[in-house]
């Protein structure tokens, strides 16, 4: 009925025929595993009708056991209920057929039987989803592909496996029952949803380390979780160091396949044993006056685990060591106590020392340990005598003295002694400044001379010296000590005022008016600053005041408006030493008018308006007056001589027989460089008051006339070939007008473009090796002018005839 209905609607049905006897190894089991509700979905009714999914029927999964030995094994047959005129070919695709893993399944293309080709392994492939096709011989699809799911059923074919072959754990000794020790784990590759993978743990063997120390069962295991725990008391590491357990795990809740493993459990140590001295009596000896040497060893035993803090010991000197002469430490390898001397022993002071030692562990004792007392031992140390070196009572020897100590002052005495009561001898090994003297017999140290805190050998007010003392025995053992002298600063120097001169503004109301003063003191604090400044003169303090600015400076200011000039102000400066020292200083203050910036308008402002002593301007006036008087006297003498000897009545000074230009008779000598402007003129005073200057140099004589003009350098500040200016032609009649005459000539020469310029090399003609002219001293004579004969001037040439006429008495 159903097939006819579906065929009438044009639907195709793919029928699956299942070989019930070939599903599993047992036909009955395979039949029972089939689910008719899944295999025949069209038989179910839903809302009074058939249930279907469009045109394809739901195919139930095909189940097959893994590891089947019957291969090939038919699993399922597919058939199409559609009527075809030709042959139907069946094909199968999917994983296990033509996809990896390949060649696990095949299909008979004519009958449609799907079968396995090799045994399946569920641990590798749990299920397969395949596609079945019904095709015509030409390859045309006759039906839509049908999905076939094949599920591989699990078998208990895998043993459970421990994660380790041997497990390791630890537990403290004396642990109580139920103490967790460790956990072990195992895995099973079978289906975890089946009994094939349900595991169960158990301990099947126990062995103590060392063997046969404990026979009772000390550990248990949780069969589901694998947690191992203690079951009994009596875990003592000193008795047994550990246990070796044999473990087993089985699947199917302990009824299936099994595997074995080992577990090693170490019993860890706790500090439950006190160390004990062995033996507890010792005798040792030590030489006096030696330090840092070992005198013996002591031993203690501990039953706890060696190399741990529970076994390591620490020793203490409980009694007999009040001066800390002895010390004890632990040998980290042997755990023994090493006793040594760390401070020199003195045979004369104590010959025998009895020490009481105690020993404990580094780690604190466990509360599970028995309450035994702390172990102790007695050590008797005998001190051996030897010849000892002298000893200083103090090292270093510290002395505090003032730097100005009086020579001969005793600085130190009774500084050393000899333990063997030998006679001592003292000397100074180091005294770079030579400030000290020592008595070689008594060791008394005295000052040779005053100290100086500014010495380069004094650092931070401390002077260091070295003293040596030795005994006079044959051995001559010596000892040295440092002498540390702290120099106390004393007030030795007076403060010096600075600066001693300066300027202030004359306006008293200026805030900036004033001179800042300070002081310099060679002493060191506290004998230097702060300084105090004071005006001791009452008269000065009426016009001036001094204001303290800080500990080192003060400002000097006028109280009233003072006239410009120089003032001497006496200032008293005092230091802060004990006792304090003072010094007077005279400050030369220049009062001057100041500008807006507070600076003096002129540097010479202090010269004017002086009030104290003879001022500088007065000295200048006096000296200028004297110089002026001397100058006037010389001029008067010179003028008198000229009038008496050289001026004729009614004639001027420069008088001649000819009216020619005086410049034609007065030689114009060129100059080298721009000297005084009047050097181009003739020096008439030389002829009026001749002096004996000896033979003249060649350059004094006039150049030879007729020099070509091109040989002289030309002035570039005037155009060339300009005419020369007109020179004054007649001399003045009055001798007092000679200066004007000369100045007119000089001015004309300065503007003459045809004369050489200044600062040029002038060209002179060679005038021969000698001169016929005699010394100029012949001109000067102590006799009167009337006694002189000037006729010889006519013999000098035409240029000197005019000069001869000037001095002719006729």
């Amino acid at each position: 009925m159903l097939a006819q209905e579906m065929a009438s609607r044009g639907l195709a049905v793919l029928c699956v025929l299942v070989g019930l006897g070939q599903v599993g190894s047992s036909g009955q089991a395979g039949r029972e595993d089939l689910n008719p509700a899944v295999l025949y979905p069209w038989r179910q009714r839903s809302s009074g009708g058939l249930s279907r999914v469009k045109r394809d029927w739901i195919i139930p999964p095909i189940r097959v056991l893994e590891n089947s030995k019957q291969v090939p094994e038919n699993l399922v047959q597919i058939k199409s209920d559609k009527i075809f005129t030709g042959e139907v070919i069946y094909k199968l695709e999917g994983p296990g057929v033509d996809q990896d893993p390949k060649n696990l399944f095949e299909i008979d293309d004519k009958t449609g039987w799907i079968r396995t080709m090799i045994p399946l392994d569920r641990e590798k492939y749990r299920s397969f989803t395949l596609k079945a096709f019904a095709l015509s011989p030409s390859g045309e699809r006759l039906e839509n592909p049908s999905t076939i799911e094949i599920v591989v059923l699990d078998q208990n074919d895998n043993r459970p496996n421990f994660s380790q072959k041997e497990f390791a754990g630890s537990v403290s000794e004396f642990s109580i029952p139920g103490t967790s020790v460790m956990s072990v784990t195992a895995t099973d590759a079978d289906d975890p949803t089946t009994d094939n993978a349900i595991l169960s743990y158990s301990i099947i063997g126990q062995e103590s380390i060392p063997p046969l120390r404990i026979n009772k069962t000390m550990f248990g295991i949780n069969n589901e979780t694998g947690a191992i725990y203690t079951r009994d008391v009596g875990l003592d590491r000193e008795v047994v160091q550990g246990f070796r357990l044999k473990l087993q795990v089985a699947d199917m809740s302990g009824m299936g396949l099994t595997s074995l493993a080992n577990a090693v459990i170490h019993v860890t140590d706790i500090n439950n044993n006190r160390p004990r001295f062995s033996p507890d009596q010792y005798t040792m000896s030590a030489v006096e006056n030696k330090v840092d040497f070992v005198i013996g060893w002591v031993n203690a035993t501990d039953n706890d685990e060696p190399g741990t803090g529970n076994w390591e010991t620490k020793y203490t000197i409980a009694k007999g060591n009040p001066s800390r002469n002895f010390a004890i430490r632990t040998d980290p390898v042997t755990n023994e106590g090493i006793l040594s001397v760390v401070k020199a022993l003195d045979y004369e002071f104590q010959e025998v020392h009895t020490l009481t030692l105690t020993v404990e562990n580094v780690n604190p004792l466990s509360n599970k340990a028995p309450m035994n007392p702390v172990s102790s031992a007695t050590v008797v140390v005998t001190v051996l005598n030897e010849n000892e070196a002298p000893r200083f009572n103090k090292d270093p020897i510290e002395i505090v003295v003032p730097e100005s100590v009086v020579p001969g002052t005793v600085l130190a005495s009774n500084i050393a002694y000899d333990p063997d009561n030998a006679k001592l001898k003292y000397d100074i090994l180091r005294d770079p400044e030579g400030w000290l003297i020592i008595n070689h017999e008594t060791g008394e140290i005295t000052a040779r001379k005053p100290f100086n805190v500014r010495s380069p050998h004094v650092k931070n007010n401390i002077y260091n010296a070295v003293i040596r003392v030795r005994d006079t025995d044959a051995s001559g053992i010596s000892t040295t000590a440092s002498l540390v002298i702290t120099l106390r600063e004393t007030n030795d120097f007076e403060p010096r005022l600075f600066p001693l001169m300066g300027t202030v503004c004359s306006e008293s109301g200026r805030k900036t008016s004033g001179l800042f003063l300070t002081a310099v003191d060679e002493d060191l604090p506290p004998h230097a600053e702060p300084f105090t400044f004071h005006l001791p003169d009452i008269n000065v303090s009426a016009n001036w005041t001094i204001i303290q600015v800080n500990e080192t400076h003060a400002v000097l200011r006028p109280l009233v408006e003072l006239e410009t000039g120089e003032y001497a102000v006496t200032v008293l400066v005092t230091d802060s030493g004990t006792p304090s020292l003072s010094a007077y200083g005279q400050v030369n203050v220049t009062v001057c008018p100041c500008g807006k910036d507070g600076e003096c308008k002129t540097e010479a402002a202090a010269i004017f308006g002086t009030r104290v002593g003879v001022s500088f301007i007065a000295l200048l006036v006096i000296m200028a007056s004297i110089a002026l008087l001397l100058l006037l006297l010389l001029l008067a003498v010179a003028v008198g001589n000229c009038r008496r000897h050289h001026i004729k009545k009614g004639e001027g000074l420069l008088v001649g027989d000819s009216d020619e230009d005086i410049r034609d008779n007065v030689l114009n000598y060129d100059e080298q460089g721009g000297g005084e402007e009047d050097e181009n003129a003739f020096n008439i005073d030389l002829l009026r008051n001749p002096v004996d200057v000896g033979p003249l140099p060649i350059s004094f004589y006039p150049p030879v006339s007729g020099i070509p003009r091109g040989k002289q350098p030309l002035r570039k500040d005037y155009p060339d070939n300009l005419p020369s200016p007109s020179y004054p032609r007649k001399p003045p009649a009055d001798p007092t007008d000679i200066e004007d005459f000369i100045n007119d000539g000089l001015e004309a020469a300065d503007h003459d473009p045809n004369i050489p310029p200044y600062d040029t090399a002038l060209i002179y003609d060679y005038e021969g090796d000698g001169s016929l002219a005699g010394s100029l001293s012949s001109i000067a004579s102590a006799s009167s002018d009337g006694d002189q004969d000037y006729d010889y001037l006519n013999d000098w040439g035409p240029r000197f005839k005019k000069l001869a006429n000037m001095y002719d008495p006729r």
Side-chain angles (χ1 to χ4, degrees):
M1 296 288 294
L2 179 61
Q4 292 177 358
E5 179 184 357
M6 296 175 65
S8 63
R9 295 183 181 181
L11 300 176
V13 178
L14 183 64
C15 297
V16 179
L17 302 180
V18 180
L20 300 179
Q22 299 175 0
V23 173
S25 59
S26 173
Q28 295 294 331
R31 188 181 297 274
E32 293 173 358
D33 289 340
L34 296 177
N35 187 353
V38 177
L39 185 59
Y40 306 106
W42 48 272
R43 291 184 179 179
Q44 293 184 356
R45 297 180 182 275
S46 178
S47 302
L50 294 174
S51 174
R52 61 184 180 180
V53 180
K54 294 186 180 180
R55 63 176 295 180
D56 292 333
W57 298 101
I58 298 175
I59 308 294
I62 306 303
R63 300 182 182 182
V64 58
L65 288 174
E66 65 173 337
N67 303 320
S68 176
K69 297 180 181 180
Q70 184 180 353
V71 289
E73 179 183 7
N74 292 331
L75 300 180
V76 67
Q77 184 182 20
I78 60 174
K79 271 202 178 283
S80 176
D81 60 353
K82 189 174 182 180
I83 299 174
F84 300 102
T85 58
E87 182 182 5
V88 177
I89 299 174
Y90 298 96
K91 294 293 183 181
L92 193 65
E93 294 180 358
V97 182
D98 58 349
Q99 300 178 16
D100 291 332
K102 296 180 181 180
N103 302 323
L104 296 181
F105 304 96
E106 66 177 358
I107 189 170
D108 190 318
D109 56 356
K110 294 182 179 181
T111 64
W113 276 102
I114 300 174
R115 61 176 66 94
T116 60
M117 299 178 63
I118 60 174
L120 302 178
D121 187 355
R122 192 206 68 84
E123 283 71 41
K124 292 184 178 180
Y125 309 103
R126 298 181 180 182
S127 63
F128 300 89
T129 301
L130 306 177
K131 294 288 185 179
F133 298 89
L135 305 176
S136 67
S138 62
E140 180 184 358
R141 285 187 182 184
L142 303 178
E143 298 285 350
N144 288 334
S146 179
T147 301
I148 298 176
E149 183 176 359
I150 299 175
V151 177
V152 182
L153 300 178
D154 183 49
Q155 286 186 334
N156 192 16
D157 58 342
N158 292 281
R159 291 180 179 274
N161 293 317
F162 281 102
S163 59
Q164 297 175 222
K165 292 296 183 182
E166 184 173 278
F167 296 89
S170 63
V171 62
S172 299
E173 60 178 336
F174 297 104
S175 294
I176 62 175
T179 302
S180 178
V181 179
M182 58 185 299
S183 293
V184 296
T185 59
T187 59
D188 195 313
D190 289 323
D191 190 351
T193 62
T194 66
D195 288 343
N196 298 336
I198 297 178
L199 306 180
S200 177
Y201 300 91
S202 61
I203 299 175
I204 61 175
Q206 172 184 298
E207 181 183 357
S208 65
I209 304 173
L212 305 177
R213 291 294 181 94
I214 295 180
N215 296 323
K216 59 182 178 180
T217 302
M218 299 299 299
F219 300 95
I221 189 170
N222 188 309
N223 62 344
E224 294 182 356
T225 63
I228 299 175
Y229 56 90
T230 59
R231 290 184 60 181
D232 208 339
V233 296
L235 291 174
D236 188 354
R237 197 209 61 83
E238 285 72 38
V239 177
V240 60
Q241 283 75 46
F243 294 86
R244 184 182 299 274
L245 306 180
K246 184 177 289 186
L247 308 177
Q248 176 182 281
V249 61
D251 57 14
M252 299 191 71
S253 301
M255 302 303 292
L257 303 177
T258 63
S259 294
L260 300 177
N262 294 323
V264 178
I265 300 175
H266 299 277
V267 180
T268 58
D269 183 54
I270 64 173
N271 191 15
N272 62 320
N273 295 283
R274 288 185 182 275
R276 310 295 300 176
F277 278 106
S278 178
D280 57 0
Q281 297 289 330
Y282 298 88
T283 301
M284 304 177 186
S285 62
V287 180
E288 67 171 339
N289 303 321
K290 291 185 178 180
V291 295
D292 298 329
F293 66 98
V294 177
I295 61 175
W297 288 260
V298 296
N299 184 54
T301 60
D302 194 308
N303 293 328
D304 291 317
E305 184 176 4
T308 65
N310 300 329
W311 172 81
E312 294 176 355
T313 56
K314 56 181 179 180
Y315 298 87
T316 306
I317 302 176
K319 296 180 182 179
N321 191 29
S323 301
R324 307 293 181 184
N325 298 95
F326 303 94
I328 190 169
R329 56 186 174 88
T330 302
D331 188 321
V333 177
T334 64
N335 220 24
E336 293 178 311
I338 304 174
L339 187 63
S340 58
V341 176
V342 295
K343 184 178 180 181
L345 301 173
D346 188 356
Y347 174 83
E348 287 74 21
F349 180 74
Q350 186 174 351
E351 299 180 11
V352 178
H353 296 264
T354 302
L355 307 178
T356 300
L357 308 181
T358 59
V359 61
E360 292 181 293
N361 289 123
V362 174
N363 291 343
L365 194 67
S366 173
N367 56 5
K368 298 178 182 180
M371 300 303 294
N372 296 326
V374 177
S375 179
S376 62
T378 301
V379 181
V380 178
V381 181
T382 302
V383 182
L384 303 180
N385 188 27
E386 69 172 2
N387 187 19
E388 302 179 54
R391 300 178 184 176
F392 284 93
N393 294 324
K394 292 181 179 180
D395 187 11
I397 304 170
E398 297 180 347
I399 302 173
V400 179
V401 296
E403 62 171 331
S404 57
V405 63
V406 179
T409 302
V410 176
L411 304 179
S413 61
N414 190 24
I415 60 175
Y417 69 96
D418 188 85
D420 300 323
N421 297 321
K423 188 176 181 180
L424 302 179
K425 185 176 182 180
Y426 301 85
D427 55 1
I428 299 176
L429 292 184
R430 184 176 182 273
D431 180 18
E433 290 289 349
W435 289 342
L436 306 174
I437 300 176
I438 191 168
N439 188 308
H440 298 292
E441 303 296 333
T442 63
E444 185 178 75
I445 302 174
T446 58
R448 182 194 300 271
K449 55 184 178 180
F451 298 158
N452 183 8
V453 74
R454 293 155 194 83
S455 168
H457 297 97
V458 177
K459 305 296 183 183
N460 298 325
N461 287 33
I462 295 177
Y463 179 73
N464 291 287
V466 178
I467 309 299
R468 180 179 65 179
V469 58
R470 65 180 184 273
D471 59 26
T472 56
D473 295 339
S475 59
I477 302 175
S478 63
T479 305
T480 60
S482 298
L483 177 62
V484 179
I485 302 176
T486 301
L487 301 180
R488 190 172 64 249
E489 176 80 12
T490 58
N491 199 9
D492 302 324
F493 298 93
E494 297 176 350
R496 300 195 307 273
L497 195 64
F498 179 83
L500 297 179
M501 62 183 302
T503 60
V504 297
C505 296
S506 58
E507 298 85 352
S508 61
R510 281 184 176 268
K511 295 182 179 180
T512 59
S513 177
L515 176 63
F516 279 92
L517 302 177
T518 186
V520 178
D521 197 324
E522 296 184 20
D523 291 313
L524 298 178
H527 301 289
E529 66 270 4
F531 302 112
T532 57
F533 301 85
H534 180 64
L535 297 177
D537 192 345
I538 299 177
N539 296 328
V540 172
S541 61
N543 297 327
W544 298 86
T545 184
I546 191 165
I547 302 172
Q548 194 85 22
V549 176
N550 51 33
E551 293 183 350
T552 58
H553 290 75
V555 60
L556 180 65
R557 290 179 178 174
L559 290 175
V560 297
E561 186 170 343
L562 301 175
E563 297 182 4
T564 57
E566 188 171 291
Y567 297 81
V569 181
T570 301
V571 178
L572 177 66
V573 57
T574 305
D575 60 22
S576 58
T578 305
S580 62
L581 297 179
S582 302
Y584 292 92
Q586 179 173 309
V587 183
N588 295 322
V589 184
T590 300
V591 178
C592 61
C594 298
K596 294 182 179 180
D597 56 354
E599 299 294 335
C600 289
K601 294 181 179 179
T602 60
E603 296 183 356
I607 297 179
F608 302 98
T610 181
R611 292 289 186 91
V612 181
V614 178
S615 65
F616 179 69
I617 187 61
L619 293 177
L620 290 180
V621 171
I622 295 173
M623 294 176 64
S625 300
I626 295 174
L628 182 60
L629 291 176
L630 292 176
L631 181 61
L632 293 176
L633 180 61
L634 292 176
L635 291 176
V637 172
V639 171
N641 289 335
C642 289
R643 289 181 176 179
R644 183 173 62 251
H645 298 293
H646 303 298
I647 303 176
K648 293 183 179 181
K649 187 175 180 180
E651 295 180 350
L653 181 61
L654 300 178
V655 180
D657 297 333
S658 174
D659 293 336
E660 295 179 353
D661 185 8
I662 299 298
R663 285 182 59 89
D664 293 339
N665 299 293
V666 179
L667 300 179
N668 182 14
Y669 285 80
D670 292 330
E671 300 294 330
Q672 293 183 343
E676 295 294 334
E677 293 183 355
D678 59 355
E679 289 181 354
N680 286 332
F682 187 75
N683 193 342
I684 299 178
D685 289 339
L686 181 63
L687 298 180
R688 291 170 53 189
N689 298 291
V691 293
D692 186 7
V693 296
L696 295 176
I698 295 176
S699 59
F700 179 82
Y701 296 97
V704 178
S705 61
I707 299 175
R709 191 183 188 281
K711 291 184 180 182
Q712 294 288 354
L714 300 178
R715 295 179 61 168
K716 295 181 179 181
D717 52 346
Y718 284 91
D720 198 7
N721 297 325
L722 291 178
S724 298
S726 60
Y727 289 88
R729 309 298 298 174
K730 294 291 183 179
D734 190 350
T736 58
D737 296 333
I738 293 177
E739 180 179 1
D740 296 335
F741 174 78
I742 294 175
N743 289 335
D744 293 340
L746 288 176
E747 184 177 0
D750 289 341
H751 295 83
D752 190 347
N754 297 316
I755 65 175
Y758 291 118
D759 299 331
T760 58
L762 302 181
I763 300 174
Y764 289 83
D765 284 346
Y766 180 71
E767 297 181 342
D769 294 335
S771 176
L772 297 176
S775 173
L776 292 179
S777 60
S778 60
I779 300 177
S781 176
S783 60
S784 62
D785 293 341
D787 299 331
Q788 297 292 331
D789 186 5
Y790 298 104
D791 292 339
Y792 63 89
L793 294 177
N794 296 319
D795 299 331
W796 288 5
R799 294 181 178 276
F800 284 87
K801 286 183 179 182
K802 183 67 66 177
L803 185 62
N805 294 332
M806 292 174 58
Y807 286 88
D808 188 0
R810 293 174 298 177

